[in-house]
Amino acid sequence: MSEPDEPLRVVVADDHPVYRDGLALLLGSVPGVVVVGTAADGRAAVDLAREEQPDVVVMDVQMPVLDGIDATRRITTESPSVGVVVLTMSEDDGTVFAAVRAGARGYLLKGADQEEVLRAITTVASGGAVFGAALARRIADFFAAAPRGPEEAFPQLTAREREVLALVAAGRSNAQIAAALYLSPKTVRNNVSNVLAKLQVTDRAQAIVRAREAGLGR
């Protein structure tokens, strides 16, 4: 997340101009938040995230050129330090799980009020994850029921997240992980947060238990 004296930098991506501009105006009026750009399609969102390296991208799912799920996947792959909050009308399981797999660390419905949106953005920017209680339960149930092969115990994780988890399970600190993988501390924090969210655990200790049960970090 930005340093305390720096503004929280946000990109808003939505193909509906009234909603996009309204949300950008709303967020931009909040002290400590700066909207550094808006995008009307997924491709533009990816380009903006690459250029601006914001703290958070607020991403719609249904967009032209490149949908929000694919855009999220590209952003989190190219710029792991950028957090993505998916904001959509859809609450169906397929969309929720696709967003999580793509690397989103927040999922809100468009009916969320200003306070909820701001809380989600600040939480994701600080390395946390935000999902409604009902969504979190469904995500946990889905991944708990998913078949796991011996070669890839956690298919919901990216290759980088699996590397980070293995080092966490080996007892390495964030600083040691950053040095080992040649990553910035912020990128390591975000990867650790992604791992905790995707494994649906609340802290590193629980993640270590899960990882070691799967044979990582020994």
Side-chain angles (χ1 to χ4, degrees):
M1 184 178 175
S2 302
E3 294 300 322
D5 58 345
E6 295 180 346
L8 189 63
R9 303 172 73 252
V10 179
V11 164
V12 177
D14 196 295
D15 65 326
H16 292 93
V18 173
Y19 188 86
R20 180 182 67 245
D21 296 343
L23 181 59
L25 184 64
L26 177 66
L27 294 175
S29 70
V30 176
V33 177
V34 173
V35 177
V36 295
T38 62
D41 63 68
R43 169 65 64 188
V46 173
D47 292 342
L48 255 180
R50 184 187 302 119
E51 178 182 347
E52 295 290 344
Q53 292 294 302
D55 295 292
V56 177
V57 176
V58 180
M59 180 78 72
D60 186 24
V61 170
Q62 300 295 333
M63 288 195 294
V65 185
L66 188 69
D67 68 46
I69 300 300
D70 284 336
T72 295
R73 183 177 297 108
R74 295 190 189 191
I75 290 170
T76 57
T77 299
E78 292 181 8
S79 306
S81 64
V82 178
V84 178
V85 174
V86 170
L87 193 60
T88 179
M89 298 295 293
S90 178
E91 196 178 3
D92 69 275
D93 286 355
T95 303
V96 175
F97 299 144
V100 174
R101 288 195 194 96
R105 295 206 310 273
Y107 195 102
L108 293 178
L109 298 180
K110 283 191 173 179
D113 59 29
Q114 176 185 356
E115 185 178 341
E116 289 177 285
V117 175
L118 284 172
R119 187 185 307 116
I121 289 172
T122 54
T123 299
V124 168
S126 65
V130 177
F131 297 92
L135 295 180
R137 282 195 298 271
R138 280 150 54 191
I139 292 169
D141 291 344
F142 176 83
F143 285 130
R148 299 190 301 184
E151 295 183 0
E152 189 175 302
F154 304 107
Q156 67 269 41
L157 302 183
T158 64
R160 175 65 78 193
E161 289 164 356
R162 200 171 294 109
E163 284 183 308
V164 170
L165 176 59
L167 291 173
V168 168
R172 303 285 186 87
S173 67
N174 280 7
Q176 291 171 325
I177 294 172
L181 299 181
Y182 301 99
L183 299 174
S184 70
K186 180 178 180 181
T187 296
V188 172
R189 286 198 305 272
N190 281 317
N191 273 281
V192 171
S193 296
N194 287 344
V195 169
L196 299 184
K198 290 181 180 181
L199 297 188
Q200 288 295 299
V201 296
T202 58
D203 55 33
R204 292 171 79 100
Q206 292 182 17
I208 289 172
V209 170
R210 290 282 302 279
R212 291 184 176 174
E213 286 176 347
L216 297 179
R218 292 179 177 175

